[in-house]
Amino acid sequence: MIRRKWPAAGVGVLLAALTAGLAFPSAAVAGEPTGQDAPQVDLVLDVSGSMQTRDIDGQSRMAAAKQAFNEVLDATPEEVELGIRTLGANYPGDDKKEGCKDTAQLYPVGPLDRTEAKTAVATLNPTGWTPIGPALLKAAGDFKDGNGSKRIVLISDGEDTCAPLDPCEVAREIAAKGIGLTIDTLGLVPNAKLSRQLSCIAEATGGTYTSVQHQDELADRVNELVDRAAEPVVTPVATEGAASCAKAPTLESGLYTDREEFGQQRWYRVDVLPGQELRASVSVAADRAVNPDYGVLLRAVTVHNREIVRGEAAGTGRTDVLSTGLRYPKPERDDDDGDKPAAETVCLAVTNSFSPGSGVKTTPGLPLELTIDVVEGPDGSSDVASFGLGRGWWLLGTLVLAGFLAGLVWGWLSRWRFAVWRTS
């Protein structure tokens, strides 16, 4: 990792803080926001029998959900393609096998006809089971191909009743496909078991969990998530690291996702030309229960296994995401013979020391996000840190000179005032 030493004097610390915005060159953006295809949102609503319970603002959970959906449908941005899927809406019987198949696409993901969608929602009546896992599996197939954002918003008042198909494992499998699908969850009951399950589903895909107990809170939160889907995003590219540098995929600047087993090492390759700088960062998320004390190591090595630079981070259970990074500037060649300079292949190795908690499944691997940025390298004093201040050095000199002149003027004024006082 790159480390800089700062001046020890207090004025140096103060001025370094003032000039921090100029001290470092801005990094190039790794990836560009996608905007060619429309963002897609699939609202997945629990219509199981428990939704008849009247505990939300004096009305049933189902009535509150319908009201919230009508508000959301009115406020959905024109550019968002929206669909609605139900779970537990059609089978009223006691056969678990049949009840766990009870999920249907109420309104297909696509351009929104608000009247038609509202009419479909109005027909819903709380009926059956709570097949969250099967519904998520089906919902993942509701989206059309494209590079726009894809988001599932799951709203439920109870845990899944279709074990052993664990909805949290289903969410991990969806995330492992690398299709850039985010699942956000909302719980209508302040229940610890429901909260744990919905949180696990959301965390597996980088989504959020929210507990809501009022109709207006539900409408506001769903609206917020639908609006978020319409914001420009950088869609990560799914890749698969190798067990050695020789077999690793060659990556260009961009944002990538992968899966890494517990304690595994994954390799990737990047080509760097003379005069360029490689900037890489990696995040590994513990999307399931892990033992405390863990770490993530990112190394840049040559094809001959000589280490160039490394970045590392450690955790103790207080956070479920660890990130680290490194920078490697490749010097310009001194001999300019007109030939195109050859690129150096840099091998990036990502290693984690996570270990699974008791009874926790180890597959699929932990979600890994890798950012690669190959930019023009530092170009002398205009970009290289000077005593840790970089481009802020000229400002430091200006401030020091101004302070010196101000001190001279203040001293002269003080002596003049003292002389006037004595003559008076």
Side-chain angles (χ1 to χ4, degrees), residues 15 37 97 133 135 140 148-150 230 238 241-242 253 272 290 297 305 307 312 321 366 371 374 377 389 398-399:
L15 294 175
D37 295 316
K97 186 176 180 180
S149 64
K150 300 178 180 66
S253 293
V272 183
V290 298
L297 173 64
N305 207 33
E307 183 173 296
E312 53 193 339
V321 178
L366 302 172
T371 300
V374 180
L389 293 175
T398 301
L399 291 174

Coordinates of all heavy atoms in Angstrom, one line a residue, residues 15 37 97 133 135 140 148-150 230 238 241-242 253 272 290 297 305 307 312 321 366 371 374 377 389 398-399:
L15 N -2.2 23.0 7.6 CA -2.2 23.3 6.1 C -2.4 22.1 5.3 O -3.0 22.2 4.2 CB -0.9 24.0 5.8 CG -0.6 25.4 6.4 CD1 0.7 25.9 6.1 CD2 -1.7 26.3 6.0
D37 N -30.7 0.6 -21.3 CA -31.9 -0.2 -21.1 C -32.7 0.4 -19.9 O -32.1 0.9 -19.0 CB -31.6 -1.6 -20.9 CG -31.0 -2.3 -22.2 OD1 -31.5 -2.0 -23.3 OD2 -30.0 -3.0 -22.1
K97 N -47.1 -29.3 -0.3 CA -46.5 -29.4 -1.6 C -47.1 -28.5 -2.6 O -46.4 -27.8 -3.4 CB -46.5 -30.8 -2.1 CG -45.8 -31.1 -3.4 CD -45.8 -32.5 -3.8 CE -45.0 -32.8 -5.1 NZ -45.0 -34.2 -5.5
G133 N -39.1 -18.6 -0.8 CA -38.0 -19.2 -1.6 C -38.4 -19.4 -3.0 O -37.8 -18.9 -4.0
A135 N -40.9 -18.2 -4.6 CA -41.3 -16.9 -5.3 C -40.1 -16.2 -5.8 O -40.0 -15.6 -6.9 CB -42.1 -16.0 -4.3
A140 N -36.7 -14.1 -10.2 CA -35.4 -13.9 -10.8 C -35.5 -14.1 -12.3 O -34.7 -13.5 -13.1 CB -34.4 -14.8 -10.3
G148 N -29.8 -2.6 -17.9 CA -30.4 -1.7 -16.9 C -30.4 -2.4 -15.5 O -30.3 -3.6 -15.4
S149 N -30.6 -1.6 -14.5 CA -30.7 -2.2 -13.1 C -31.9 -3.1 -13.0 O -32.9 -2.9 -13.6 CB -30.7 -1.1 -12.1 OG -31.9 -0.3 -12.2
K150 N -31.7 -4.1 -12.2 CA -32.8 -5.1 -11.9 C -33.0 -5.1 -10.4 O -32.0 -5.4 -9.6 CB -32.5 -6.4 -12.5 CG -32.3 -6.4 -14.0 CD -31.9 -7.8 -14.5 CE -31.8 -7.8 -16.0 NZ -30.6 -7.0 -16.4
A230 N -34.2 3.7 -10.7 CA -34.1 4.5 -11.9 C -32.8 5.3 -12.0 O -32.5 5.9 -13.0 CB -35.3 5.5 -12.0
A238 N -19.7 -10.1 -14.3 CA -19.3 -11.4 -13.6 C -18.1 -12.0 -14.2 O -17.9 -12.0 -15.4 CB -20.5 -12.4 -13.7
G241 N -12.3 -16.0 -11.1 CA -10.9 -16.1 -10.9 C -10.4 -17.5 -11.0 O -11.2 -18.4 -10.9
A242 N -9.1 -17.7 -11.1 CA -8.5 -19.0 -11.2 C -7.7 -19.3 -10.0 O -7.4 -18.5 -9.1 CB -7.6 -19.1 -12.5
S253 N -9.9 -2.2 -17.1 CA -10.6 -1.3 -16.2 C -12.1 -1.6 -16.1 O -12.7 -1.7 -17.1 CB -10.3 0.2 -16.5 OG -9.0 0.5 -16.4
V272 N -0.3 -3.8 -17.8 CA 0.0 -2.4 -17.5 C 1.1 -2.0 -18.3 O 2.2 -2.6 -18.4 CB 0.4 -2.3 -16.0 CG1 0.6 -0.8 -15.6 CG2 -0.7 -2.9 -15.1
V290 N -20.2 -15.9 10.3 CA -18.8 -16.3 10.2 C -18.2 -16.1 11.6 O -18.7 -15.4 12.5 CB -18.0 -15.5 9.2 CG1 -18.5 -15.7 7.8 CG2 -18.0 -14.0 9.6
L297 N -6.7 -10.1 2.0 CA -5.4 -9.7 1.4 C -5.4 -9.6 -0.1 O -5.9 -10.5 -0.8 CB -4.3 -10.8 1.8 CG -2.9 -10.6 1.3 CD1 -2.2 -9.3 1.8 CD2 -2.1 -11.8 1.6
N305 N 6.1 -14.6 -9.7 CA 5.7 -14.7 -8.3 C 6.5 -13.8 -7.4 O 6.6 -14.0 -6.2 CB 5.8 -16.1 -7.8 CG 4.8 -16.4 -6.7 OD1 3.7 -15.8 -6.7 ND2 5.2 -17.2 -5.8
E307 N 6.5 -10.5 -5.4 CA 5.5 -9.5 -4.9 C 5.9 -8.1 -5.2 O 7.1 -7.7 -4.9 CB 5.3 -9.7 -3.4 CG 4.2 -8.8 -2.9 CD 3.8 -9.1 -1.4 OE1 3.3 -10.2 -1.2 OE2 4.0 -8.2 -0.6
E312 N -4.0 -5.0 2.7 CA -4.7 -5.9 3.6 C -5.6 -5.2 4.6 O -5.4 -4.0 4.9 CB -3.6 -6.8 4.3 CG -2.6 -6.0 5.1 CD -1.4 -6.9 5.5 OE1 -1.6 -8.1 5.6 OE2 -0.3 -6.3 5.7
V321 N -18.3 -6.6 5.9 CA -17.7 -6.4 4.6 C -16.2 -5.8 4.9 O -16.1 -4.9 5.7 CB -18.4 -5.3 3.7 CG1 -17.7 -5.1 2.5 CG2 -19.8 -5.8 3.4
L366 N -18.3 -16.7 -0.9 CA -18.6 -15.3 -0.4 C -18.5 -14.4 -1.6 O -17.7 -14.5 -2.5 CB -17.5 -14.9 0.6 CG -17.4 -15.8 1.9 CD1 -16.2 -15.3 2.7 CD2 -18.7 -15.7 2.7
T371 N -12.5 -3.9 -8.2 CA -12.4 -2.8 -9.1 C -11.0 -2.7 -9.6 O -10.0 -2.7 -8.9 CB -12.7 -1.5 -8.3 OG1 -14.1 -1.6 -7.8 CG2 -12.6 -0.3 -9.2
V374 N -6.8 1.2 -14.6 CA -5.5 1.4 -15.2 C -5.5 2.8 -15.8 O -6.3 3.1 -16.7 CB -5.2 0.4 -16.3 CG1 -3.8 0.7 -16.8 CG2 -5.2 -1.0 -15.7
G377 N 0.0 7.3 -15.4 CA 0.8 7.4 -14.1 C 1.2 8.8 -13.8 O 0.9 9.7 -14.6
L389 N 2.2 16.5 0.2 CA 1.2 17.5 -0.1 C 0.9 17.6 -1.6 O -0.1 18.2 -1.9 CB 1.7 18.8 0.4 CG 1.8 19.0 1.9 CD1 2.4 20.3 2.2 CD2 0.4 18.8 2.5
T398 N 2.3 29.6 -0.5 CA 1.6 30.9 -0.5 C 1.2 31.3 0.9 O 1.3 32.4 1.4 CB 0.4 30.8 -1.4 OG1 0.8 30.5 -2.8 CG2 -0.4 32.1 -1.5
L399 N 0.6 30.3 1.6 CA 0.1 30.6 3.0 C 1.3 30.9 3.9 O 1.1 31.8 4.8 CB -0.7 29.3 3.5 CG -2.0 29.1 2.8 CD1 -2.6 27.7 3.3 CD2 -3.0 30.2 3.1

